[in-house]
Structures are given as structure tokens and as C-alpha cells.
Amino acid sequence: MDLIERLKLRSLLRFDPENGEIWLDEGRMLLLHTKAFGALRKELFDSLGVERARGLLVRMGFESGKKDAELVKKIVGNNSLEDIFLVGAEMHMLEGMVKAKLVNSEISLARGTFYGEFLWEYSWEAESQSQLFGIGKDHACWSQIGYASGYATAFMNRFVVFRETECKACGAANCRIVGKLAEDWNDPDYLRYFHPDNIVRELMELQEEVAQLRASLSNERTPGSLIGVSAGFRQAFDLLNKACPSAISVLLLGETGVGKERFARWLHDNGPRADKPFVAINCAAIPHDLIESELFGVTKGAYTGADQSRPGRFERAHGGTLFLDEIGEMSQAAQVKLLRVLQTGEVERLGDNQVCKVDVRLVAATNVNLQQAIADGRFRPDLYYRLATYPVLIPPLRERRADLPLLIDSLIEKHSLRYHKKVRGVTDRALLMLSKYPWPGNIRELENVIERGVLLVTAGGYIEIDHLFANIEEPLRKGEEIAGDGHLHEADDGSYGIGYEELLSEGFNLNTHEDRLLKFAVGKSGGNLTHAARMLGITRRQLSYRLSKRSETNALSWPD
């Protein structure tokens, strides 16, 4: 049995809704929205400046850690203090701050030595920082660092200081902290955060510090329509940005829905041809026998139905940019003519013997593995080498998790204007689900999901999970629930104490009982099938199927 179970720490947490109180043993606690606390945290940075805000958060967490250490000492009994020290990580999790995993510890109260290393998952501070500012360069978990330091200091009776070495707010997979005795750090600048600061004496410096804060914490958004701060996005964007001033042909690679046309438009809009035409064509959407006339133009009478002459996309894009999407689907005959145009800069309309000089920057895109297509004989290698002079790989959305909050905010703003509706954002649970979803359809799928959410949410509200997905359930996790006695208990595993012997007595009908159970769950949830499905322990799709089958067999009549 682990320490937290042996010490029965969960039993110390009590809810008293009648009096509006939450208690952890004898200490009163608060249940706060992380968004509200995140807003307060941002306000501190804006008003006090970076350094003072960090110090204030560290000292606030330090006091909280000391209080929890006093509580644990009170209930330790005959257990070893060295062992009980590790309960601090469990306390931190119990209070909803972070999931802490011990990596290494060397602690001796007798010798007065201390070293501790922990891995943090689901840090609320790192998540809040990322949501507000995107991925940046500065570590974010200041109050949690203070908590760990205060807790360890109270146990060691010596000044212990933790420091964050990796942070999710900086793009790391998780946060990592290391704790040592204060004198072992040999870093007086860092230790300043743990000592009170007289803000009045340096009030004149505040304005400069706020300006520095805004410069350091402002989102590093790219100009124009591209949004992202993740490492994969930045790598792709940096390549695109370097190609921008030149006329080099660019090949955009990536899965369907990653936004290749948006990248192509950014390249055009921010280059020297921005005042010239941007012409796009989807090579997969046009029949093979028409793609040549679309690209190169046609002369009247060139074939049956060609009743007038018209320019092709190359001529229309003269001086500007031509974007060939899904170029991997282009026919072999069109590939030959395209290669000639790229080599000579001359276009010849179908049915004509006159050539026309064109000045076009070519941007191509595909989700096809062109090297495999060459091996299969579907794509010309000489055309590939002409196009692949400057390839840019756009990462899929599942590899751009850090960009999700920024993309979601942008899409909510876009569709709020479209539907003339004010939407405040997404709930924390909805954001958690969006961040865990694999996004096979990439940004195109994300936009569709957010548009659905904006359409369904009540004006002035937050988009919830039920607004986002029609057929995908939120992954359920076991946890704790508040029972009637006001204590926190492990969630039930599904054993509800039903009298099975009684149910299986003579006359039992499984279909009838299932019908009644379905009707009861749907009624109890107010007709919300997602909530009803959760009560029944099945997915919404499974519930819909059962209801539809019963509607077919029972002619929509429910048993009383």
C-alpha cells in the first residue's frame, strides 16, 4: 500500500456545500478556475514586471508548501520522515496542481543532505502560460517551484530550493525540477525570488520592466494568416521565409489538410510579387483530358466544344504566382508539357502554334510520396528534380500540439464573425480533449470542429465537449467523486449492488429491462445522449444504435 493510502490523505479532504466551504484537515481550501487564476497570474506580470511577479508567485507557493508539510508532519505517526517527505508530491497532485513522478532522490535528515529530481506532467501553470502566450523561452511553473521548495524546507529545517530545468511552456514534453540546498546552487540571482521585495523603492523602474515583459511574453506570431509557435511549424516557416524574396520554385509537402495553400498564399503575399495575381489550381480535381487546357490555355476550334480562345492558368498568373495543388495526381502528358514550360518560360495554347512568354513563380504541393510515384512510373523524375529544388515539409497537426490554443482562438474569432455570435472560448475539458485528439484531417478538420462548436454554443458562452464532436466520445478516466458524506472517494467501477438473483427470477426479459434502462438514462440526462451514454458506460454512437434499433422494432413506443 502506498503512503498516501496508508496515511488516508484523501479522507482529509471534505466538501461542505451547504456552508460554501472546502477543508483539507483543519485548513480551508479554495476551488478556483485555472483560467481565472491564469488571468490573475498574467495581471501580476503586466502590473509588476517579470522579476517581481515571479518572486511573488514563488513566495506564495512557498507558503502553501510549508502549510502542507506541517499537515503531513502532524499525521506522520511512526513513519520515517525521509519516506513521508515524498508524500509532498502526492499532496501536490491531490490539490490539482500537477502530476509528479520521482526521478531520483538522496535525502538524509541526519546528515543534512538533500537532492531531489521530479518529472511533472499536466502542470496547470505550464498549460496556462502556453494558452496565453504560446510556446516561449521562459520557464513558467513559478508557484509550483515555490511549493516544492517550501515543502522541502519545512521537512529539512534547512533552506531547500527547487529549480525548473525543463518546462512544457518552452516546448519540452513535460516539466522537470531539481531541488538542492540553497547554498549548493551558488546562484544569488535565482535565490532573490525567495526573498521579499520592497516594491516602493523601485517604483520608477516598473514602467521599463512592464515594457520588457510585453516584449518577452508577446506571441511570436508570423505576419499574415499563418499561426504557430511549435518547433515543427517554426522550422517550416523559417524555410518559407528565406525563400520569400526570391523566385525559386517551392514544393510544399505534407498530409491532406495541413494548410499547404495557406502557406503558398503567404509566400506570395509577402514576396515581391504580392501586387500580381495569385492563381491556384487543384490538379486532382480536374479530369486528365482537361488539365492541359486549364494550365496552358486553348485556341478556338482546338477540339470539339472549344468555341472560343481562352488563356490558361500560366498566362493568367503572369508576373505573379501559380499554385499547383496535388501535383502528384497530374497526368504524364501534362507533366511533359509542364516541364517544358518550366525550362523555357514559354506557353503554347492547345491548337495554336504561337508561343507566349510567361513570368511565373511556381509553388507546387502534394501529399503523395513523389519518390515512390517515380518508382511506380507515375511521376517523371526530371520534373521532380525541377520542382524539388526547395522542398518545405509542413508538419501534421498532431505534431503541432503547442499551436492548438492559438489556432483555436483564431478559428473561434473567424467563425464568431461569420455567425454573428460572441464566443468566449473553449472549456478546459474541451481544450484537453482537443489536445489529445489525433487530428487525422489536420487543420481542415480542426476548422470544421470549431465551426460546429461556434454554431452550437449559446452566445456569450464557452464551447463544451458536446458542441465539438458528433460521434467521438471524450476518453473517460477513473478518478475521485464526492459521495454523500462530503468526502472524496474512488469512482465506482460499475458494481451497483443490483440484485441479480432477483432480476433473473421467472419472467425476466432482458430486452424489456434494457429498454427501461435506456429510457431512464435518456430521461435523467434531459435528452442529452452524450451524458446518457456516459451513465451507461457506452459510447454515444453505441447508444444511438441501440435507440434506433428499438425504434425500428417497437415503432418508437417505449415501455412504461
Side-chain angles (χ1 to χ4, degrees):
M1 183 184 299
D2 61 22
L3 288 171
I4 197 165
E5 291 295 334
R6 194 162 71 233
L7 297 176
K8 299 180 179 178
L9 290 179
R10 291 191 180 96
S11 66
L12 300 176
L13 185 58
R14 306 185 309 280
F15 291 77
D16 184 1
E18 291 185 1
N19 294 319
E21 297 173 339
I22 303 173
W23 296 90
L24 182 60
D25 192 46
E26 298 298 315
R28 186 170 177 180
M29 308 292 289
L30 297 176
L31 187 63
L32 297 173
H33 292 284
T34 55
K35 274 192 168 63
F37 202 80
L40 174 61
R41 188 173 176 276
K42 180 179 183 299
E43 185 82 13
L44 290 175
F45 276 89
D46 287 341
S47 58
L48 299 181
V50 176
E51 298 302 310
R52 288 196 176 92
R54 287 174 178 172
L56 184 60
L57 291 169
V58 165
R59 295 190 292 275
M60 180 184 71
F62 194 90
E63 290 301 314
S64 179
K66 283 173 58 179
K67 296 296 290 184
D68 278 359
E70 292 169 6
L71 170 60
V72 173
K73 281 184 176 181
K74 172 183 170 184
I75 59 176
V76 160
N78 296 322
N79 293 285
S80 163
L81 278 178
E82 284 88 347
D83 290 339
I84 297 300
F85 166 77
L86 299 178
V87 177
E90 300 284 352
M91 293 289 288
H92 220 177
M93 290 191 283
L94 184 64
E95 293 166 7
M97 300 293 181
V98 72
K99 181 178 180 181
K101 292 182 178 179
L102 176 65
V103 176
N104 187 23
S105 69
E106 298 174 12
I107 304 168
S108 173
L109 296 178
R111 294 193 303 271
T113 58
F114 184 93
Y115 178 85
E117 184 177 355
F118 291 85
L119 192 68
W120 278 350
E121 299 178 0
Y122 310 114
S123 162
W124 84 266
E125 272 191 294
E127 290 178 359
S128 177
Q129 179 84 359
S130 300
Q131 290 172 22
L132 288 171
F133 304 111
I135 300 299
K137 299 178 181 178
D138 295 328
H139 296 159
C141 305
W142 295 100
S143 68
Q144 293 171 191
I145 282 290
Y147 177 96
S149 302
Y151 188 93
T153 295
F155 265 91
M156 292 295 298
N157 292 319
R158 294 185 64 181
F159 188 17
V160 175
V161 170
F162 274 83
R163 189 167 195 166
E164 199 169 12
T165 59
E166 298 176 17
C167 187
K168 197 170 182 179
C170 298
N174 289 295
C175 305
R176 185 182 296 268
I177 62 168
V178 172
K180 298 188 288 189
L181 295 174
E183 57 265 30
D184 293 338
W185 281 111
N186 193 28
D187 188 350
D189 288 338
Y190 182 72
L191 297 180
R192 282 190 303 111
Y193 294 132
F194 294 84
H195 300 296
D197 183 19
N198 186 349
I199 192 172
V200 177
R201 291 183 308 169
E202 303 174 20
L203 193 58
M204 296 301 293
E205 299 177 8
L206 183 58
Q207 185 175 0
E208 181 182 353
E209 291 188 11
V210 171
Q212 293 173 354
L213 167 75
R214 287 172 178 159
S216 63
L217 293 184
S218 60
N219 292 330
E220 193 176 349
R221 291 178 181 262
T222 57
S225 59
L226 298 184
I227 297 174
V229 292
S230 64
F233 171 85
R234 296 302 313 178
Q235 184 176 5
F237 175 76
D238 288 344
L239 282 172
L240 198 72
N241 192 38
K242 289 175 182 176
C244 200
S246 70
I248 191 170
S249 296
V250 175
L251 177 62
L252 300 175
L253 304 170
E255 298 176 5
T256 298
V258 294
K260 294 187 284 289
E261 182 169 352
R262 185 160 291 188
F263 271 70
R265 285 188 178 275
W266 187 95
L267 186 66
H268 171 78
D269 292 341
N270 292 273
R273 299 171 180 253
D275 59 339
K276 302 297 183 181
F278 176 89
V279 178
I281 181 172
N282 188 322
C283 301
I286 299 175
H288 286 178
D289 55 347
L290 296 179
I291 187 69
E292 293 180 44
S293 61
E294 285 294 324
L295 284 175
F296 311 119
V298 63
T299 301
K300 181 179 179 180
Y303 55 80
T304 303
D307 52 1
Q308 61 180 357
S309 298
R310 57 184 173 84
R313 304 295 175 101
F314 268 96
E315 290 182 65
R316 287 161 53 188
H318 179 67
T321 302
L322 177 62
F323 175 56
L324 299 182
D325 198 8
E326 305 297 353
I327 196 171
E329 306 296 334
M330 183 178 285
S331 67
Q332 289 275 357
Q335 289 179 35
V336 173
K337 294 189 176 182
L338 174 61
L339 179 62
R340 182 180 181 280
V341 173
L342 295 181
Q343 290 173 336
T344 64
E346 297 176 345
V347 171
E348 186 175 322
R349 294 183 184 181
L350 291 181
D352 197 358
N353 56 8
Q354 299 295 318
V355 295
C356 173
K357 277 285 187 181
V358 290
D359 174 22
V360 170
R361 179 181 197 164
L362 186 71
V363 181
T366 183
N367 64 342
V368 172
N369 184 331
L370 292 182
Q371 293 180 331
Q372 184 61 48
I374 291 171
D376 296 340
R378 294 182 289 110
F379 202 83
R380 294 182 60 89
D382 45 3
L383 177 58
Y384 170 76
Y385 295 126
R386 171 73 66 169
L387 294 173
T389 307
Y390 200 87
V392 177
L393 177 62
I394 305 172
L397 187 54
R398 62 181 174 275
E399 297 176 8
R400 296 177 55 187
R401 304 287 181 181
D403 297 338
L404 272 171
L406 296 175
L407 290 169
I408 290 168
D409 288 345
S410 175
L411 291 172
I412 288 176
E413 181 180 355
K414 172 184 174 180
H415 291 294
S416 295
L417 292 173
R418 179 179 180 183
Y419 291 106
H420 309 289
K421 181 186 292 186
K422 181 175 176 60
V423 178
R424 299 176 67 185
V426 297
T427 64
D428 291 336
R429 288 186 70 193
L431 182 59
L432 178 63
M433 184 177 181
L434 290 170
S435 67
K436 290 184 175 181
Y437 182 66
W439 298 111
N442 292 296
I443 293 179
R444 184 179 297 141
E445 183 183 10
L446 174 65
E447 179 159 10
N448 292 337
V449 167
I450 296 300
E451 182 178 3
R452 169 188 164 88
V454 172
L455 181 63
L456 294 179
V457 70
T458 304
Y462 285 96
I463 297 174
E464 301 177 2
I465 292 173
D466 294 344
H467 299 138
L468 295 171
F469 295 100
N471 298 313
I472 299 176
E473 293 298 308
E474 177 191 16
L476 298 177
R477 294 174 54 191
K478 285 182 122 181
E480 290 81 29
E481 60 186 12
I482 305 170
D485 60 0
H487 285 69
L488 213 61
H489 292 278
E490 293 292 335
D492 203 310
D493 62 0
S495 301
Y496 299 105
I498 298 174
Y500 295 111
E501 291 286 344
E502 208 173 299
L503 278 176
L504 294 175
S505 60
E506 186 177 352
F508 173 77
N509 185 296
L510 178 60
N511 288 332
T512 299
H513 279 276
E514 185 172 344
D515 284 345
R516 287 176 176 167
L517 184 59
L518 294 177
K519 179 182 179 182
F520 177 78
V522 172
K524 185 174 176 64
S525 67
N528 187 312
L529 297 189
T530 300
H531 293 166
R534 287 179 189 156
M535 288 186 228
L536 296 168
I538 60 177
T539 67
R540 188 185 189 280
R541 181 177 294 178
Q542 290 170 328
L543 176 58
S544 297
Y545 174 77
R546 283 174 165 81
L547 294 178
S548 64
K549 294 298 289 183
R550 274 155 179 75
S551 297
E552 293 172 7
T553 57
N554 300 339
L556 299 176
S557 63
W558 286 92
D560 293 328

